[in-house]
Amino acid sequence: SVASRGLGDVYKRQDKHEETLTDEEVEAFSILLELPDNDLLNLLLARKEPDGEIDTPQVRALLTRLRAI
């Protein structure tokens, strides 16, 4: 599925940049990975923005960084 392929890209990006992630980014990444596939993909593709409990400065900053890769 499209969501699965998108998640594969996320995991590759995380592995490639793991050494450069701050502790806050690792925490934000963990929060994002707990989301259902489609919700995560929509966030990564900027189809939607984080809301509710995941709407934190750390999550928004990490999304900005991931979207730029």
Side-chain angles (χ1 to χ4, degrees), residues 34-46:
E34 291 178 15
L35 296 173
D37 290 358
N38 288 336
D39 291 346
L40 176 57
L41 184 60
N42 286 333
L43 287 169
L44 291 172
L45 297 176

Side-chain angles (χ1 to χ4, degrees), residues 5-63:
R5 286 193 301 266
L7 277 178
D9 289 343
V10 169
Y11 289 120
K12 288 177 192 171
R13 290 175 184 175
Q14 188 250 353
D15 287 343
K16 182 178 178 184
H17 297 279
E18 186 171 16
E19 294 179 6
T20 62
L21 292 176
T22 67
D23 289 343
E24 288 181 342
E25 289 171 325
V26 170
E27 184 176 331
F29 199 83
S30 296
I31 290 168
L32 291 175
L33 290 180
E34 291 178 15
L35 296 173
D37 290 358
N38 288 336
D39 291 346
L40 176 57
L41 184 60
N42 286 333
L43 287 169
L44 291 172
L45 297 176
R47 292 179 184 158
K48 66 179 251 184
E49 294 300 322
D51 59 5
E53 292 179 6
I54 66 165
D55 187 8
T56 66
Q58 295 82 5
V59 168
R60 286 187 173 272
L62 180 59
L63 282 172

